[in-house]
Amino acid sequence: MSDANLFRDASDPLLRSWVASAVDPQNDFPIQNLAYGIRNGGVAVRIGDKYLLLKDALDAGVLCAEFEGVCWGASTLQTGSLNAFAKLSAAVRAKLRAHLAWVFAEGSPARAKTEPLLISVDAPTSNDAIPFVVGDYTDFYASLHHATNVGSMFRPTNPLLPNWKHVPIGYHGRASSIVASGSTVVRPKGQTVANDDGPPTFGPSKLMDYELEVGFFVGEGNELGTTIPVAQAWKHIFGFVLVNDWSARDMQKWEYQPLGPFLAKNFATTISPWVVTREALEPFCVAGPPRSAEDPTPLPYLQDPHGCNVDITLEVTISSAKMRADGIAPTLISRASFRDMFWTPAQMLAHHASNGCNMQVGDLLASGTVSGTTKDSRGCLLERTWRGTEPITLGDGTERRFLQDGDEVIMRGYCEKAGFPRIGFGECKGQVLPSKE
Ligand code: CA
């Protein structure tokens, strides 16, 4: 199986698949994507509206079991997470990607053996799983527009704190409550106050919100006490997912000083199940937004000569329980682009490791809420309704300042450019359930 003809360039925009749904221009998963996830307890690759378990493909003799002298078999492919898979060297994974492109390419002799192995993503046994065992989860705050909007609500004359343009701000989140798209989320209870100084009461949050974010998984870590240079950081990233950082604003307001977010954030974080690899996203890399003349030059350790923001269009829709019962389509709440982020993924990762903190395979780093310059590009309800003062109207005629029980939040992300098939993330969705007694 060393024949060069067994490999194709998956990022070739002209490559087409024999899987019919993968050539639908509105599908997120063309042959150029080849996103990875976990299904049925094993590593799967997504193509169109199907997926292929790599173990099945190995057993059927469709895939090579060895690349670059590295064998990868059941222990790598049937572990219930992508952690061992992501530890394969970049060279081996590149070979595998090229080999999968050959398997799925129009005219491939592998079609006859592969087609019977494909499983529909809607099959009842195919519940979405968290793709990695996440050891640590960190959430950044990297959108200038989000930070400025939120800051101006609380500090109208001084929205951006003096550190913001120098240091990528973040906090350590909670890994145990990361859930897959489709999971329900129970409205949290906590301390809230009617007046800024209290006293607090304990009960269900009344100001529940989402935050539209992009996350990325670390594919190659660093030893404790060492760093990840910013110029190399992009290559330490395995791939990207959509993230909904559910937030209880009334709890957040009371608890966040002096140490930052805690119980207002850690009750649930929803992620999309298919990890879109950095290789698939590279055709959509763009430079970050230009810094203004007054902006500080980043310190040398944050100066990224190959700085890559990814041009991902991000959308949030909401449907109420009544809308779903009446067959009303979800209402579009906002649309923004990840390209507008002030700090790039490489800068976030390099900064995280800059003090010698060891990053590990499967660590999840999220960007913070992605907002743009316009009202309809604001990535959470706090901003979108301006603390509830400008409610939005859903398709059933009801108003929203914050989320109601039964609301389903659906996030989507996709990359588009002329001459290239659309690469997308699928859905990141979750429904709010009432607080438990
Ligand atoms: Ca957040």
Side-chain angles (χ1 to χ4, degrees), residues 133-366:
V133 173
V134 182
D136 279 294
Y137 160 49
T138 299
D139 196 17
F140 283 88
Y141 193 55
S143 161
L144 176 63
H145 309 299
H146 173 67
T148 305
N149 284 337
V150 173
S152 69
M153 289 175 201
F154 300 99
R155 297 177 300 275
T157 55
N158 179 30
L160 216 55
L161 293 170
N163 58 3
W164 198 90
K165 287 184 174 177
H166 294 277
V167 55
I169 299 293
Y171 69 95
H172 283 116
R174 178 90 191 161
S176 68
S177 53
I178 296 173
V179 297
S181 177
S183 304
T184 52
V185 173
V186 173
R187 180 180 296 272
K189 287 180 175 175
Q191 286 197 21
T192 61
V193 291
N195 302 306
D196 285 353
D197 297 333
T201 56
F202 185 85
S205 166
K206 294 187 179 68
L207 305 182
M208 193 167 163
D209 201 355
Y210 59 80
E211 290 190 339
L212 168 66
E213 307 194 12
V214 171
F216 54 94
F217 286 102
V218 173
E220 184 188 347
N222 59 300
E223 294 294 321
L224 185 61
T226 70
T227 63
I228 299 176
V230 66
Q232 294 166 27
W234 176 254
K235 295 215 154 117
H236 283 250
I237 295 172
F238 178 84
F240 291 73
V241 290
L242 305 177
V243 176
N244 181 350
D245 174 23
W246 301 94
S247 301
R249 298 303 182 193
D250 40 1
M251 291 161 57
Q252 185 179 359
K253 180 184 165 195
W254 175 237
E255 76 171 7
Y256 87 102
Q257 289 178 315
L259 286 183
F262 185 33
L263 302 185
K265 297 277 193 176
N266 70 4
F267 58 93
T269 305
T270 303
I271 63 173
S272 57
W274 296 99
V275 185
V276 180
T277 62
R278 66 174 163 77
E279 290 88 348
L281 292 172
E282 275 167 4
F284 303 95
C285 280
V286 292
R291 295 193 175 211
S292 69
E294 309 86 61
D295 286 349
T297 303
L299 289 169
Y301 84 99
L302 287 172
Q303 289 175 12
D304 181 5
H306 321 295
C308 171
N309 271 12
V310 189
D311 187 8
I312 308 169
T313 300
L314 298 161
E315 296 175 352
V316 181
T317 62
I318 296 178
S319 78
S320 65
K322 182 174 190 322
M323 289 166 70
R324 292 191 300 282
D326 293 350
I328 300 171
T331 302
L332 180 68
I333 307 298
S334 73
R335 182 181 287 128
S337 177
F338 192 59
R339 70 181 298 158
D340 292 332
M341 301 303 274
F342 188 87
W343 298 106
T344 65
Q347 287 172 318
M348 291 182 235
L349 180 55
H351 177 67
H352 204 318
S354 65
N355 64 345
C357 173
N358 50 330
M359 309 303 294
Q360 297 183 291
V361 172
D363 283 354
L364 177 65
L365 279 62

